[in-house]
Amino acid sequence: MTVLAIVTVAVWLLAFLIPSGQYDRNKSGAPVEGTYHRVDSGQSFVDRLNDLFLSPVNGLYGIQDEKTSLVAPDNVGSLYGSAGVFLFVLAIGAFITVVFATGALDRGIGRLAHRLRERGALLIAGVMVVFSVLGTVEGFAEETLGFYGLIVPLMLALGYDRMTAVGAIILGAGVGVLCSTVNPFATGVASSAAGISLGDGIVLRSAMWVVLTGVTVAYVIRYAQRVRRDPERSLSGFLPGDRDRGEAAAGTAGAAGVSGVPELTGLHKAVLVTTALVFAFMIFSVVPWSSALTGKADATPYGFELGWSFPQLAALFLCAAVLVGIVARMGEQKLSSTIIQGAADFVSPALVILLARGVTTIMNNSKITDTVLHSIEGVVKGTSSGLFAVIVFLVNLPLAFLIPSTSGHATLAMPILAPLADFAGVSRAVVVTAWQAASGWMNLWVPTTAVTIGGVALAKVGYDKYLRFVWPLLALLAVLICGFVALGAAVT
């Protein structure tokens, strides 16, 4: 949030130096290539000061005037602010918090680990795939910090090291977020900012998820088996007592061991099934099935397609939160307080979204957005569609370092990047995929993310040792990502 506040002031100051201009627009509102021309913004210093003052408000519920294109809270026109996405984030925050409050998800993962405790490779694969699925559908990241107390002793008991646990947790969830198929905090926010459906590009992202998850799981298993055969090859080393924990850890209950994991009750199973059905229905509701199955972007929608977007999804998760609470027999007081607490816990990413959107309102009102587009147009003009997609991936890497929040990064970058796809003749969905891959790739290792730093700290593994462990995988993933986005651009 501090970075975005600085960016807001910096962009406001730059707007005095960058000449204003605009493109002609087609019927869908997309800029027409080659039509850029200089215009007078018509803003006085007081007008610009007012834009800076109201930027967070405009970022939430600013209205864009259809005639002047200016954004202000009291205009008449179309919603420019991110109020829809803001409420959606709070709604899914409430839902996720209710699910975790039931203890079903934690206990389900704990039972999975306990059942596979004697089959090391299968355990690693099972934990990583579950985390990856949660990452790709709901941005499962910070929630992984609660599992180190279970996974680290388990891996030590099986003859692995602490780095194996770190890789299984951070990389398992991280590769899922990297390949977000319908993750509302990454794909959802970016799609909204790009003006496309959450389901656009889901085929490409699904293929990426299958391949990259498989590669990541294989990488961690290969390392784990190497350490099991020769403990001296461990990158993290062993703390006093780690090597002696084998049978002791396998037979100790609680946080220090892996047995004694509570059984799943009928209520827990019902909650898990309900949660799975909610996310399955969300995927069904947003996917443009006719386009996905025929490969034609303009295909006539099938009769069963819902075409839902953020208003309907926000309502879905609010209702789903109540449904899970009823299934888990929470009681009215606990359910109400948990929903409120869940929304409160997710206010931070929601505020990041409106702050980032506030930056774009300043650019819009000072009419410098198209000027920035025009300058980048000259750079990408003439490049092939595949090269353009790779450039989008590379350009977003430093941005992801500065703004580790996927929601804030998406809201800030997409208004610039999405129209560039129109110039390059590439689907905006490919730009969303390239952007989220860059954000997810960076968040696998950058020290500005609590998931990475918190994870290595909880596992008592040095950050420098983690970097040594992960860099070959990062290089391989980067190559695969570039290949996927280039292929996606070429076929759209």
Side-chain angles (χ1 to χ4, degrees), residues 239-395:
L239 297 178
D242 280 356
R243 300 288 302 278
D244 304 323
R245 297 181 74 169
E247 294 183 1
T252 305
V258 297
S259 65
V261 178
E263 291 286 343
L264 280 172
T265 65
L267 285 179
H268 290 129
K269 293 177 181 177
V271 169
L272 291 175
V273 170
T274 302
T275 302
L277 290 175
V278 168
F279 279 110
F281 182 76
M282 179 191 75
I283 295 171
F284 169 79
S285 70
V286 300
V287 171
W289 292 102
S290 57
S291 300
L293 296 177
T294 64
K296 298 178 181 178
D298 58 348
T300 302
Y302 298 135
F304 62 81
E305 289 186 35
L306 296 179
W308 279 14
S309 189
F310 291 102
Q312 295 87 354
L313 292 178
L316 169 67
F317 281 108
L318 286 173
C319 293
V322 175
L323 177 61
V324 168
I326 292 173
V327 170
R329 299 175 186 172
M330 274 189 170
E332 181 271 332
Q333 267 195 331
K334 183 178 180 181
L335 177 57
S336 298
S337 62
T338 304
I339 288 176
I340 293 170
Q341 183 61 50
D345 289 344
F346 281 73
V347 162
S348 179
L351 288 175
V352 165
I353 291 171
L354 70 89
L355 283 177
R357 191 60 169 170
V359 176
T360 66
T361 65
I362 292 175
M363 297 177 65
N364 175 84
N365 287 358
S366 59
K367 300 187 186 300
I368 64 170
T369 302
D370 283 4
T371 302
V372 175
L373 271 178
H374 179 63
S375 64
I376 303 177
E377 177 192 356
V379 176
V380 301
K381 192 172 184 178
T383 62
S384 65
S385 56
L387 179 58
F388 168 78
V390 173
I391 290 174
V392 171
F393 169 71
L394 296 175
V395 163

Side-chain angles (χ1 to χ4, degrees), residues 207-220:
M208 276 183 61
W209 177 78
V210 171
V211 173
L212 269 62
T213 297
V215 168
T216 304
V217 170
Y219 181 85
V220 175

Side-chain angles (χ1 to χ4, degrees), residues 9-248:
V9 175
V11 169
W12 182 76
L13 293 173
L14 285 172
F16 287 94
L17 304 176
I18 299 174
S20 54
Q22 64 185 28
Y23 284 94
D24 293 337
R25 255 61 179 178
N26 58 24
K27 293 181 179 180
S28 63
V32 178
E33 186 177 4
T35 63
Y36 173 82
H37 55 281
R38 296 284 179 85
V39 296
D40 182 9
S41 69
Q43 285 192 307
S44 65
F45 178 79
V46 173
D47 293 332
R48 292 175 183 264
L49 198 60
N50 187 59
D51 279 344
L52 176 63
F53 179 62
L54 289 177
S55 60
V57 178
N58 281 327
L60 180 62
Y61 60 89
I63 305 297
Q64 187 170 37
D65 186 277
E66 295 179 357
K67 295 181 179 179
T68 65
S69 296
L70 295 177
V71 177
D74 53 356
N75 278 352
V76 175
S78 56
L79 179 67
Y80 188 90
S82 53
V85 183
F86 182 89
L87 179 59
F88 173 62
V89 169
L90 299 186
I92 197 170
F95 171 74
I96 291 172
T97 303
V98 169
V99 171
F100 271 100
T102 66
L105 193 57
D106 302 57
R107 191 173 292 193
I109 294 174
R111 291 303 305 168
L112 172 68
H114 184 63
R115 282 176 176 270
L116 300 177
R117 65 192 181 280
E118 296 178 357
R119 289 173 281 181
L122 190 58
L123 168 65
I124 294 171
V127 169
M128 291 185 71
V129 169
V130 169
F131 282 1
S132 183
V133 169
L134 293 171
T136 196
V137 300
E138 60 101 342
F140 191 77
E142 287 84 356
E143 298 87 346
T144 60
L145 297 176
F147 291 95
Y148 283 88
L150 171 68
I151 302 299
V152 171
L154 181 58
M155 293 302 173
L156 292 174
L158 295 173
Y160 303 124
D161 63 353
R162 293 173 178 269
M163 189 67 78
T164 303
V166 170
I169 297 173
I170 294 179
L171 298 180
V175 75
V177 175
L178 187 158
C179 303
S180 295
T181 49
V182 290
N183 173 8
F185 304 108
T187 314
V189 175
S191 297
S192 173
I196 60 175
S197 164
L198 177 60
D200 287 341
I202 194 171
V203 174
L204 173 63
R205 295 193 294 270
S206 298
M208 276 183 61
W209 177 78
V210 171
V211 173
L212 269 62
T213 297
V215 168
T216 304
V217 170
Y219 181 85
V220 175
I221 290 177
R222 178 175 176 270
Y223 169 82
Q225 291 177 333
R226 185 180 69 192
V227 170
R228 198 174 192 179
R229 288 192 302 267
D230 183 5
E232 296 301 320
R233 301 187 68 181
S234 169
L235 293 177
S236 62
F238 295 89
L239 297 178
D242 280 356
R243 300 288 302 278
D244 304 323
R245 297 181 74 169
E247 294 183 1

Side-chain angles (χ1 to χ4, degrees), residues 148 162 166 451-463:
Y148 283 88
R162 293 173 178 269
V166 170
V451 175
T452 300
I453 293 299
V456 296
L458 286 170
K460 298 180 180 178
V461 170
Y463 177 64

Side-chain angles (χ1 to χ4, degrees), residues 29 127 141 176 191 341 406 474 487 491:
V127 169
S191 297
Q341 183 61 50
T406 53
L474 292 174
L487 177 64
V491 299

